[in-house]
Amino acid sequence: MIDFKRITFDQKVMGGKACIRGMRLTVSLIVNLVANGMNIEEIIEAYPYLEPDDIRQALRFAAWLAEEAVHPIELSS
C-alpha cells in the first residue's frame, strides 16, 4: 500500500472508516464533495481545519482503492 500519512483508521472514530488525520471527516465525504462540484477552496471554506494536502491525499487514496487490474487467465481446451 502507498504511504498515506494523512489517512487514518480508528475503530473509535467513524467506525474505523478512512478518515483525515484522525478527525471525524471521512475520505468518502471529501470524494463526495468533489464529485458534486466543490473545489479545494470551497471545501476548505466549509471545513477550515482541513488543508489542501488532506483533500489531495483523500482523492489519491480513493483512486488507489478504485484501481483495477486485469489478470488474464488461460483456459485449458
Side-chain angles (χ1 to χ4, degrees):
M1 180 163 122
I2 299 171
D3 189 21
F4 295 104
K5 294 184 188 305
R6 294 173 178 266
I7 309 300
T8 58
F9 302 89
D10 182 343
Q11 282 300 110
K12 297 175 188 167
V13 179
M14 302 302 287
K17 291 182 179 182
C19 291
I20 306 298
R21 295 185 288 126
M23 295 185 276
R24 299 184 63 78
L25 282 170
T26 61
V27 167
S28 62
L29 171 67
I30 301 299
V31 172
N32 192 0
L33 295 174
V34 172
N36 283 290
M38 288 182 78
N39 62 38
I40 290 176
E41 294 78 21
E42 291 169 326
I43 294 170
I44 290 174
E45 187 175 319
Y47 301 93
Y49 34 87
L50 284 177
E51 300 171 2
D53 282 343
D54 294 328
I55 297 163
R56 285 190 284 271
Q57 193 160 108
L59 294 172
R60 281 195 298 273
F61 181 74
W64 177 78
L65 286 176
E67 188 174 284
E68 294 182 37
V70 176
H71 301 281
I73 58 171
E74 288 187 34
L75 300 175
S76 57
S77 333

